[in-house]
Amino acid sequence: MIKQSFLSLYELPQDKKSSPEQFQGYDFVFEFSGATVYVIVNDVVMQASRQDIDSSQVREWRKEVVNQLIKRHAQLYQKNDKLMADNDDSDLDKAVYFIGLTSLSIKHEGNQAGAPLYTVGYEYGSQFFAEDCVLDLDDEESVLQVFSYQNFVDILSQLVTPSDLTAFLDFHRSQLTGFESFLDESTLLTQFLQSPGFHQRAISVQEKLVNYELIDQVEPRLLKAIQPNQTSFSNALMAEIQKNTRMWYKLFNSLIKDSFEAGHPIPKDQVDILVDESMYTYACLVEKILAYRTMDQDSRWNGYVRHEHSYNVFGRHYLMVFYAQDDDSSLSADKVRASHQDLLLELNAQMQDPVMDDLFLIGVEFRPCEDSVNTEVHLDAFHQNGSVIDLNTQRLYEQLAQLKANL
């Protein structure tokens, strides 16, 4: 599961996992920009004759599996709590989540060695924790959030990004600690994806962009999606976001592969930033790529530029350069790749009020397929940290921009 999801990027190595700054004894530790996730796993195989297996027996086994996790987490947390309190408090602003994953398999008694195991598919829901396995909800920050292995795999496949996962974990934990009723975790995920809270992060970032006059208004479709009685619109928007996100990851994975094979792999810290985006940001990037089909021939021939901001965090800007078909254009693929650093420096000079944290140039190239009439899309990605420049340097960049505009 871990190797097939984004979490593999953020799994801490053993030496860092065992550092005094981390809770000790958990099976996995993942750390990304805004969160640390501690995971403990309980993979249990039960033996029983076929006639002894019914729904009540499975419920008892599930109860036993979860109780073992709860007990283990309580012991680990109590053991680590005082040690963590004595350490440096520099990471107090980083969210912490404790996840328990359970897997229950059944082996029929009397089967020969090597006989297959039967994995039980299940979810929990709020009633299970209210009646069978009572979680300690006194301290919200230490709550163990329990999922079945299969269910967590499905959650990761739908949420796609670390930032959307942590947003859901916040939502799930608030439901538990607020003693809210939910049928199961899949139903809760659907509720989350349809809730105003899912879009509120993007709206908050956009409101800040409006305040700095970097965009004109918060996108009307987001404001509509959080209105009451707009379920159908919200569902359609979410379906479009998920479809575009899957498209982005295909393009992004090809970018990673192509860069590696070319001998110029993208640095891991830049990959981390790009992966730690939100589905909504990916959807907006892909929308601009898809809009290429509607552009006039002059724009395609000469190349053109589009701007996009992150809607996950404030301070991340994307300059999207759609490469020219004309090799002599200043926006041809070869010329942009050669001058990407200068372009990013110019962009940094333009983004001084406020200064951005991260600036990305995303090059977009449409190539004809050799074996069909379709086109292939290839991406480039170049990065620079935003920085403050003095007024004299800024004036020089402004004069340079005016000269280019008059050419």
Side-chain angles (χ1 to χ4, degrees), residues 259-317:
S259 301
F260 181 80
E261 291 178 349
H264 305 288
I266 300 176
K268 183 180 180 299
D269 59 341
Q270 296 176 27
V271 174
D272 287 351
I273 295 171
L274 289 169
V275 173
D276 191 23
E277 261 297 353
S278 65
M279 286 194 287
Y280 189 75
T281 303
Y282 295 148
C284 292
L285 293 171
V286 169
E287 282 175 350
K288 285 183 168 52
I289 294 173
L290 294 176
Y292 181 85
R293 296 174 297 185
T294 66
M295 298 301 295
D296 59 85
Q297 186 54 44
D298 283 346
S299 296
R300 295 188 187 191
W301 180 252
N302 296 308
Y304 63 95
V305 171
R306 292 290 181 267
H307 291 265
E308 190 60 84
H309 288 274
S310 168
Y311 297 117
N312 176 42
V313 295
F314 182 82
R316 189 177 300 160
H317 187 89

Side-chain angles (χ1 to χ4, degrees), residues 202-266:
I203 291 173
S204 297
V205 173
Q206 288 190 351
E207 288 173 341
K208 198 168 183 180
L209 292 169
V210 170
N211 290 338
Y212 281 105
E213 299 182 348
L214 295 173
I215 61 175
D216 294 329
Q217 63 178 358
V218 175
E219 291 189 40
R221 64 180 177 182
L222 288 183
L223 298 177
K224 182 177 179 179
I226 66 173
Q227 295 301 314
N229 304 318
Q230 291 293 337
T231 302
S232 295
F233 178 83
S234 180
N235 289 348
L237 177 60
M238 177 51 61
E240 189 71 13
I241 289 171
Q242 290 180 313
K243 182 185 74 173
N244 284 355
T245 296
R246 288 190 291 270
M247 190 181 301
W248 170 262
Y249 265 100
K250 287 181 181 179
L251 295 172
F252 185 64
N253 287 336
S254 295
L255 165 64
I256 300 298
K257 180 182 177 182
D258 292 346
S259 301
F260 181 80
E261 291 178 349
H264 305 288
I266 300 176

Side-chain angles (χ1 to χ4, degrees), residues 44-58:
V44 175
V45 177
M46 297 292 189
Q47 289 195 356
S49 60
R50 293 178 184 269
Q51 60 269 25
D52 290 339
I53 300 175
D54 57 23
S55 59
S56 61
Q57 179 61 73
V58 171

Side-chain angles (χ1 to χ4, degrees), residues 66 70 129-130 133-138 143-146 176 179:
V66 175
I70 293 174
F129 295 109
C133 291
V134 180
L135 294 168
D136 181 6
L137 303 177
D138 291 338
V143 170
L144 181 68
Q145 297 173 249
V146 182
L176 288 173
F179 300 97

Side-chain angles (χ1 to χ4, degrees), residues 34-270:
T36 304
V37 178
Y38 297 91
V39 179
I40 51 175
V41 179
N42 195 7
D43 188 357
V44 175
V45 177
M46 297 292 189
Q47 289 195 356
S49 60
R50 293 178 184 269
Q51 60 269 25
D52 290 339
I53 300 175
D54 57 23
S55 59
S56 61
Q57 179 61 73
V58 171
R59 189 177 182 90
E60 285 301 312
W61 284 336
R62 287 167 56 199
K63 179 178 177 180
E64 182 178 342
V65 169
V66 175
N67 274 327
Q68 290 172 1
L69 273 182
I70 293 174
K71 182 178 180 181
R72 182 181 169 197
H73 168 63
Q75 291 172 339
L76 289 173
Y77 189 84
Q78 184 177 15
K79 180 180 178 181
N80 282 280
D81 195 29
K82 186 177 185 309
L83 292 175
M84 294 292 288
D86 293 338
N87 285 331
D88 181 22
D89 295 333
S90 58
D91 283 340
L92 281 179
D93 58 340
K94 181 168 283 194
V96 175
Y97 304 92
F98 298 97
I99 305 298
L101 298 182
T102 68
S103 176
L104 175 60
S105 301
I106 297 174
K107 182 177 183 181
H108 294 309
E109 290 179 346
N111 281 359
Q112 297 179 351
L117 300 176
Y118 297 89
T119 300
V120 179
Y122 56 90
E123 295 186 44
Y124 292 106
S126 58
Q127 185 176 355
F128 183 84
F129 295 109
E131 297 177 358
D132 293 341
C133 291
V134 180
L135 294 168
D136 181 6
L137 303 177
D138 291 338
D139 178 12
E140 181 175 337
E141 300 302 316
S142 68
V143 170
L144 181 68
Q145 297 173 249
V146 182
F147 304 88
S148 71
Y149 171 89
Q150 301 95 325
N151 180 228
F152 199 65
V153 169
D154 183 58
I155 288 171
L156 290 178
S157 69
Q158 291 195 58
L159 292 175
V160 183
T161 79
S163 60
D164 290 300
L165 171 63
T166 53
F168 172 69
L169 292 177
D170 279 331
F171 183 72
H172 177 261
R173 187 163 62 185
S174 71
Q175 298 297 298
L176 288 173
T177 57
F179 300 97
E180 301 291 339
S181 176
F182 57 92
L183 179 64
D184 51 46
E185 285 70 32
S186 291
T187 303
L188 191 66
L189 176 61
T190 301
Q191 180 184 342
F192 167 70
L193 292 175
Q194 296 173 352
S195 71
F198 178 83
H199 297 296
Q200 192 55 53
R201 189 171 17 136
I203 291 173
S204 297
V205 173
Q206 288 190 351
E207 288 173 341
K208 198 168 183 180
L209 292 169
V210 170
N211 290 338
Y212 281 105
E213 299 182 348
L214 295 173
I215 61 175
D216 294 329
Q217 63 178 358
V218 175
E219 291 189 40
R221 64 180 177 182
L222 288 183
L223 298 177
K224 182 177 179 179
I226 66 173
Q227 295 301 314
N229 304 318
Q230 291 293 337
T231 302
S232 295
F233 178 83
S234 180
N235 289 348
L237 177 60
M238 177 51 61
E240 189 71 13
I241 289 171
Q242 290 180 313
K243 182 185 74 173
N244 284 355
T245 296
R246 288 190 291 270
M247 190 181 301
W248 170 262
Y249 265 100
K250 287 181 181 179
L251 295 172
F252 185 64
N253 287 336
S254 295
L255 165 64
I256 300 298
K257 180 182 177 182
D258 292 346
S259 301
F260 181 80
E261 291 178 349
H264 305 288
I266 300 176
K268 183 180 180 299
D269 59 341
Q270 296 176 27

